[in-house]
């Protein structure tokens, strides 16, 4: 039986059209590394042809490295340029870019273009699956959340912004309880308390304002914290609201990405026009083309990161993905502290350690129980499967 399974495996490798993805009964999501595991897979799946051959069985560490480098690299570039655009002056006049919604618009335009290309390449249906108003409902809350995220960098440091995003699980749990009637176990509440405590320590025991801030730093920091609360509230609501609105629809991922980002593009455009910021924003980037290049690179890196996230979740599930995302957030804080000179006190480092320790504990504790299927929808969140829960809607 082992020899027969190995022959079938060799044939699949030679055809170069398969990639194996298996749930071995030993690991609850691990991949077969022996003939016995392959036999178990063939028996368990009714002797059907292995449809996912080549990648994981042949050189799994290369694929894992590909996912790690793709996610960490893309999103660290995104975070770095996000802070640079929103906090650093441009040109000899040292002008600062202040049009957060313009960044949101460019981000959504690039994501929308990628979704169109993906649908054309895959020859997937382009027509909307759900009523259009549902896409607009999700898009509106997501645009507000993303605007708050960018705008907050004018008033608080990037390390605080990144650490606060780790607390996204708390509004997700709250909205999930009231909207979806979900219930959470003691471990979820413990992690939420630890993350809250770590963020509180970071806030209380050191400077959390921007390194290039205004004269009234305390007032601007309070306003920045209010913006971050707005981000957490709207982003957590978006994830839960999307689950409720799109439940019961069989959506292709890129189809949903297309209509949500197209709706976000329209909302961003209306916001820019109504606030009279289109002209000033275009004038700024025409005077400082390096700023426009940073915004386009930021948007492309964000979209690329979401595509890597989708691939990682499809190939390896939420466990590896959550570990990568937690590591990426910690590395982003380190990079910001080094490049943009954000000195942290030892109490802030302890608070940071508590937050990421809690997230790693929640992620690694999932190894003890089988993984649940992850919904491949399109938006981000920060807690295990909820960490970037809907990976194709950019932040």
């Amino acid at each position: 039986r082992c020899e027969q399974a190995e022959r079938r495996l060799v044939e699949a490798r030679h055809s170069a059209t398969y990639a194996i993805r298996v749930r071995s009964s030993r690991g609850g999501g691990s991949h077969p590394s022996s003939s016995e595991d392959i036999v178990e897979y063939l028996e368990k799946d009714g002797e059907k042809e292995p449809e996912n051959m080549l990648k994981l069985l042949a050189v799994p560490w290369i694929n894992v490295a590909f996912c790690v480098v793709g996610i960490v690299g893309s999103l660290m570039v995104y975070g770095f340029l996000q802070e640079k655009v929103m906090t650093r002056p441009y040109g000899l006049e040292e002008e600062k870019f202040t049009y957060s919604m313009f960044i949101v618009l460019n981000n959504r335009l690039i994501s929308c273009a990628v979704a169109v290309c993906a649908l054309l390449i895959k020859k997937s249906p382009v027509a909307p699956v759900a009523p259009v108003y549902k896409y607009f409902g999700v898009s509106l809350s997501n645009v507000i959340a993303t605007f708050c995220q960018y705008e907050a960098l004018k008033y608080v440091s990037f390390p605080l912004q990144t650490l606060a995003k780790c607390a996204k699980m708390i509004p997700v749990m709250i909205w999930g309880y009231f909207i979806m009637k979900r219930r959470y176990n003691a471990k979820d509440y413990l992690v939420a308390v630890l993350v809250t405590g770590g963020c509180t320590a970071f806030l209380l025991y050191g400077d959390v304002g921007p390194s290039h801030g205004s004269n009234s730093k305390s007032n601007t920091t309070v306003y920045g914290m209010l913006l971050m609360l707005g981000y957490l509230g709207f982003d957590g609501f978006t994830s839960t609201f999307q689950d409720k609105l799109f439940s019961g629809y069989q959506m292709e991922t890129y189809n949903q990405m297309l209509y949500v980002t197209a709706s976000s593009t329209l909302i961003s455009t209306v916001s820019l026009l109504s606030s009279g910021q289109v002209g000033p924003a275009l004038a700024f980037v025409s005077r400082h083309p390096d700023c426009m290049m940073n915004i386009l690179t930021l948007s492309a890196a964000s979209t690329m990161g979401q595509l890597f996230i989708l691939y990682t979740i499809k190939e390896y599930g939420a466990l590896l993905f959550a570990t990568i995302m937690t590591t990426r957030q910690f590395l982003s804080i380190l990079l910001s502290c080094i490049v943009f000179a954000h000195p942290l006190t030892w109490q802030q480092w302890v608070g940071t350690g508590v937050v990421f320790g809690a997230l790693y504990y929640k992620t690694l504790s999932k190894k003890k129980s089988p993984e649940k299927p992850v919904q491949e929808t399109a938006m981000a969140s920060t807690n295990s499967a909820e960490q970037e829960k809907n990976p194709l809607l950019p932040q």
Side-chain angles (χ1 to χ4, degrees):
R1 293 170 62 199
C2 292
E3 291 176 357
Q4 181 183 10
E6 286 175 345
R7 282 197 301 272
R8 294 181 65 181
L9 176 58
V10 169
E11 291 173 0
R13 279 178 172 167
H14 285 176
S15 67
T17 57
Y18 302 108
I20 193 161
R21 185 184 180 189
V22 189
R23 289 187 180 88
S24 169
S25 59
R26 303 174 186 177
S30 62
H31 306 292
S33 57
S34 68
S35 302
E36 289 81 1
D37 287 337
I38 296 169
V39 170
E40 290 178 16
Y41 163 66
L42 294 174
E43 290 178 340
K44 187 175 181 180
D45 284 21
E47 296 293 331
K48 66 183 180 182
E49 286 295 329
E51 295 181 352
N52 295 321
M53 221 84 176
L54 192 61
K55 295 180 183 175
L56 301 182
L57 199 60
V59 278
W61 65 269
I62 292 181
N63 261 353
V64 173
F66 175 74
C67 295
V68 172
V69 172
I71 293 176
V72 174
S74 299
L75 296 186
M76 285 188 70
V77 168
Y78 167 69
F80 171 80
L81 291 177
Q82 180 186 153
E83 182 171 11
K84 181 181 179 181
V85 171
M86 294 306 302
T87 65
R88 275 6 187 206
Y90 286 90
L92 296 176
E93 305 85 358
E94 294 195 342
E95 291 183 275
K96 285 190 175 182
F97 186 83
T98 59
Y99 312 103
S100 301
M101 192 60 73
F102 185 77
I103 305 178
V104 178
L105 174 61
N106 281 272
N107 199 323
R108 299 309 186 261
L109 282 172
I110 290 180
S111 297
C112 189
V114 169
V116 170
C117 292
L119 288 173
L120 292 176
I121 291 171
K122 297 178 67 177
K123 298 181 180 179
S124 300
V126 179
V129 177
V132 174
Y133 75 88
K134 294 194 173 186
Y135 297 105
F136 271 94
V138 171
S139 299
L140 178 61
S141 59
N142 177 256
V143 167
I144 295 173
T146 310
F147 171 81
C148 290
Q149 171 187 322
Y150 291 139
E151 194 73 8
L153 282 176
K154 299 178 185 177
Y155 310 102
V156 298
S157 67
F158 181 82
L160 176 61
Q161 185 224 49
T162 302
L163 202 65
K165 287 166 69 176
C166 296
K168 199 184 300 184
M169 69 181 72
I170 298 170
V172 168
M173 291 172 65
I174 294 173
W175 290 120
Y177 179 84
F178 287 106
I179 296 178
M180 304 297 290
K181 307 302 180 184
R182 289 173 179 160
R183 297 296 180 265
Y184 302 93
N185 57 36
K187 182 177 67 177
D188 295 320
Y189 289 112
L190 173 63
V191 172
V193 169
L194 290 174
V195 169
T196 303
C199 291
T200 303
F202 191 96
L203 179 63
L204 295 178
Y205 294 103
D207 183 17
V208 295
S211 57
H212 289 65
S214 62
N215 295 328
S216 181
K217 210 166 192 179
S218 60
N219 291 336
T220 58
T221 299
V222 171
Y223 183 60
M225 289 303 301
L226 291 176
L227 285 170
M228 284 308 301
L229 289 175
Y231 163 76
L232 292 172
F234 278 104
D235 193 74
F237 176 77
T238 300
S239 299
T240 309
F241 190 53
Q242 180 175 252
D243 282 349
K244 190 172 185 65
L245 283 182
F246 291 149
S247 61
Y249 294 99
Q250 296 297 322
M251 285 191 182
E252 204 275 345
T253 303
Y254 295 104
N255 183 285
Q256 182 179 351
M257 179 182 178
L258 170 62
Y259 284 97
V260 175
T261 54
S263 301
S264 298
T265 298
L266 181 58
I267 293 170
S268 304
T269 302
V270 171
S271 175
L272 283 170
L273 290 172
S274 61
S275 62
Q277 292 186 344
V278 175
L282 291 176
F284 187 98
V285 297
S286 65
R287 291 193 304 272
H288 306 287
D290 53 333
C291 178
M292 189 68 217
M293 182 58 65
N294 288 337
I295 292 173
L296 293 176
T297 305
L298 175 158
S299 301
S302 173
T303 302
M304 186 64 65
Q306 310 312 313
L307 296 178
F308 274 110
I309 286 168
L310 175 66
Y311 175 80
T312 301
I313 292 177
K314 288 180 68 175
E315 292 295 318
Y316 299 102
L319 183 62
L320 176 66
F321 162 68
T323 306
I324 295 173
M325 285 301 300
T326 303
T327 304
R328 191 277 303 179
Q329 289 170 318
F330 184 72
L331 292 176
S332 293
I333 290 177
L334 289 180
L335 180 65
S336 178
C337 290
I338 294 171
V339 176
F340 296 106
H342 298 293
L344 303 182
T345 64
W346 69 267
Q347 293 99 328
Q348 287 179 310
W349 282 116
V350 170
T352 302
V354 169
V355 170
F356 286 104
L359 295 178
Y360 277 121
Y361 161 73
K362 184 169 181 65
T363 299
L364 297 177
S365 65
K366 290 183 178 294
K367 288 184 178 181
K368 299 178 181 179
S369 59
E371 274 189 55
K372 295 180 180 180
V374 178
Q375 184 182 1
E376 294 169 11
T377 51
M379 182 144 322
S381 192
T382 18
N383 170 30
S384 182
E386 292 171 345
Q387 190 163 9
E388 294 272 347
K389 180 177 183 179
N390 304 312
L392 285 179
L393 189 60
Q395 291 292 302

